[in-house]
């Protein structure tokens, strides 16, 4: 039996090795200058994230995008080493609990993108990318919780108090105190020129952070983890189509000659983003159970944070994904310069959905409507009348 196995390996391995060697010799197009310059941006983003952790959250999507580009060009080890180097240097010179969360979340998100690129189904690929990114954010919070040895609410309040001189925390503390705090009858708010104003703003903001993170920390992990995963996923689809690697599934010599060289192997997604749909089964397998669960928890009372988290995970974020794909479809209906403008508007809509909860909710409703009505079908039907 062993001899048979060895003989099979001897017949297969040389043939694969010869094919792989032949593909390695195929000439490909050179990498563009803009891409080479983009490699220099990543170190500055890591430096910014390590030096100013409170302001680093908005740059995480850009970092994961560049990390995936490194994976596609150089394989998985180099971007993983970049994340490890960022964590080691940042925690050594400027220890911050946010850096711990970012490091763990980025590593998980990178692994999720690399694995999602091996999936043949776009729904499976998007789910894998989102799952790993969300689990990474939650794991980072769990690491901080274990390291600090205190509840999340106490950690959040202590962090705000300890970092009161940080300009980001100071800005949000002042904004919350001036616009969000409601004092008891007979109490008056201090003015910026009054003595004790800064201490008052930090105190109220620390109380808010304690209450908010104590209940909604997993909600925020789901929200920002899904945003990072979405940025990396849509970018990976574009990169995979414009590059070709001898390690790709179903790679051919012609595809290698027509693209720039890459090393990280993927399974190129053939379905365009404009045609990615949420199946109607999503309505009764995710939306309906989540809505019923949310209503029951609201009726019982005391579980508003759990209801919001459940709804956000199974309804809002997947529906927002559906909206982005159908919005991409409508953008492709334009031609010439109008299409460029449509894609710019699409990018602005995506940013608005990530920043404003009201916009995200509105867009997710459109995503559910698309799942029910199939807006692409009716648009094509009207076009052909």
């Amino acid at each position: 039996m062993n001899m048979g196995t060895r003989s099979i390996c001897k017949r297969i391995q040389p043939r694969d090795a010869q094919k792989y060697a032949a593909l390695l010799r195929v000439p490909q197009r050179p990498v563009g200058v803009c891409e080479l310059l983009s490699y220099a941006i990543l170190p500055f983003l890591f430096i910014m994230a390590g030096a100013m952790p409170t302001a680093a959250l908005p740059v995480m999507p850009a970092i994961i995008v560049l990390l995936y580009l490194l994976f596609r060009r150089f394989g998985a080890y180099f971007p993983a080493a970049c994340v490890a180097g960022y964590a080691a240097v940042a925690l050594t010179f400027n220890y911050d609990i946010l850096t711990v969360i970012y490091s763990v979340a980025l590593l998980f998100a990178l692994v999720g993108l690399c694995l999602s690129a091996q999936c043949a189904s776009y729904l499976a690929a998007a789910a894998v990318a989102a799952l790993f990114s969300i689990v990474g954010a939650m794991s980072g919070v769990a690491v901080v919780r274990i390291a600090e040895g205190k509840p999340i609410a106490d950690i959040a309040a202590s962090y705000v108090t300890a970092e009161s001189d940080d300009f980001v925390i100071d800005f949000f503390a002042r904004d919350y105190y001036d616009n969000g705090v409601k004092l008891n009858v007979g109490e008056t708010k201090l003015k910026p020129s009054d003595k004790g104003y800064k201490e008052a703003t930090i105190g109220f903001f620390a109380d808010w952070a304690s209450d908010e993170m104590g209940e909604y920390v997993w909600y925020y992990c789901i929200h920002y983890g899904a945003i990072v995963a979405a940025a990396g996923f849509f970018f990976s689809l574009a990169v995979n189509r414009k590059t070709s690697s001898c390690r790709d599934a179903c790679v051919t010599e012609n595809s290698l000659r027509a693209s720039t060289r890459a090393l990280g192997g993927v399974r190129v997604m053939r379905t365009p983003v404009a045609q990615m749909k949420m199946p109607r089964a999503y309505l009764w397998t995710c939306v309906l159970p989540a809505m019923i669960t949310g209503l029951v928890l609201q009726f019982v009372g005391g579980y508003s944070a759990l209801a919001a988290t459940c709804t956000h995970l199974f309804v809002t974020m997947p529906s927002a994904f559906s909206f982005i794909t159908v919005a991409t479809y409508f953008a492709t209906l334009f031609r010439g310069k109008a299409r460029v403008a449509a894609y710019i508007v699409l990018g602005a809509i995506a940013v608005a959905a990530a920043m404003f909860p009201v916009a995200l909710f509105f867009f997710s409703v459109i995503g559910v409507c698309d799942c029910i009505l199939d807006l692409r079908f009716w648009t094509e039907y009207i076009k052909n009348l």
Side-chain angles (χ1 to χ4, degrees):
M1 186 67 181
N2 293 333
M3 293 178 60
T5 303
R6 287 196 296 269
S7 64
I8 292 175
C9 293
K10 288 180 180 179
R11 289 197 302 270
I12 293 177
Q13 287 181 353
R15 182 175 58 189
D16 293 342
Q18 292 174 2
K19 179 181 178 181
Y20 179 71
L23 292 176
L24 279 175
R25 291 192 295 269
V26 174
Q28 293 186 258
R29 295 179 180 179
V31 177
V33 177
C34 293
E35 181 179 332
L36 294 176
L37 293 176
S38 69
Y39 294 152
I41 300 176
L42 185 59
F44 290 101
L45 293 179
F46 274 136
I47 292 172
M48 180 262 184
M52 298 181 293
T54 55
L57 189 59
V59 304
M60 288 296 131
I63 290 178
I64 196 63
V65 161
L66 292 175
L67 286 175
Y68 183 82
L69 183 59
L70 291 181
F71 157 74
R72 187 60 170 147
R73 292 303 186 192
F74 305 104
Y77 294 115
F78 184 42
C82 291
V83 177
Y86 151 69
V89 174
L91 293 176
T92 300
F93 291 97
N94 184 30
Y95 175 80
D96 194 284
I97 60 175
L98 294 181
T99 301
V100 176
I101 298 175
Y102 295 154
S103 302
V104 177
L106 282 175
L107 186 59
F108 272 74
L110 176 62
V111 172
L113 283 179
C114 295
L115 292 178
S116 70
Q118 317 304 318
C119 299
S121 168
Y122 61 84
L123 289 178
V128 168
L131 179 63
F132 270 80
S133 186
I134 292 171
V135 171
M138 292 181 173
S139 300
V141 173
V143 170
V144 171
R145 168 67 176 85
I146 295 172
E148 295 291 325
K150 297 186 294 185
I152 296 297
D154 295 342
I155 295 174
S158 300
Y159 184 82
V160 170
T161 304
E163 302 293 333
S164 59
D165 292 332
D166 185 273
F167 75 96
V168 175
I169 292 180
D170 181 65
F171 171 80
F172 283 109
R174 291 172 181 268
D175 180 73
Y176 175 71
Y177 181 78
D178 294 336
N179 303 313
V181 172
K182 294 182 179 180
L183 300 179
N184 297 325
V185 179
E187 296 180 346
T188 57
K189 289 184 179 179
L190 299 176
K191 298 180 180 180
S193 58
D194 294 338
K195 184 179 180 180
Y197 173 78
K198 181 177 178 62
E199 290 75 11
T201 60
I202 294 298
F204 278 100
F205 191 63
D207 293 338
W208 174 87
S210 176
D211 296 337
E212 188 75 5
M213 293 302 160
E215 294 184 356
Y216 289 93
V217 63
W218 306 127
Y219 175 95
Y220 288 111
C221 288
I222 292 170
H223 182 77
Y224 292 110
I227 289 175
V228 171
F233 174 73
F234 289 119
F235 178 79
S236 68
L237 295 180
V239 170
N240 293 345
R241 293 192 182 112
K242 293 182 178 297
T243 59
S244 185
S245 168
C246 53
R247 296 181 175 89
D248 289 350
C250 303
V251 64
T252 63
E253 183 177 338
N254 292 332
S255 65
L256 287 174
R257 292 183 182 276
S259 68
T260 54
R261 184 172 294 279
L263 289 179
V266 302
R267 186 182 299 273
V268 180
M269 194 74 63
R270 300 301 177 186
T271 306
V273 175
Q275 298 302 323
M276 293 182 178
K277 305 176 182 179
M278 294 295 290
R280 284 206 174 99
Y282 160 71
L283 296 174
W284 59 79
T285 56
C286 292
V287 175
L288 184 61
M291 297 299 294
I292 293 176
T293 302
L295 291 175
V296 171
L297 292 175
Q298 290 287 354
F299 177 78
V300 173
Y303 296 97
S304 58
L306 180 59
T309 302
C310 180
T311 304
H312 205 63
L313 176 62
F314 293 103
V315 180
T316 306
M317 300 311 293
S319 300
F321 170 83
S322 178
F323 166 77
I324 292 297
T325 60
V326 72
T328 304
Y329 164 76
F330 285 114
T332 59
L333 299 179
F334 296 90
R335 294 292 183 270
K337 295 181 179 180
R339 175 175 290 190
V340 177
Y343 279 119
I344 294 175
V345 172
L346 177 61
I349 289 174
V351 173
M355 294 180 60
F356 303 107
V358 175
L360 178 65
F361 174 78
F362 175 74
F363 295 146
S364 66
V365 171
I366 298 178
V368 173
C369 293
D370 174 62
C371 189
I372 297 173
L373 301 175
D374 194 354
L375 299 178
R376 298 172 182 82
F377 170 80
W378 291 109
T379 301
E380 294 294 330
Y381 177 78
I382 295 173
K383 284 175 57 180
N384 295 328
L385 286 178

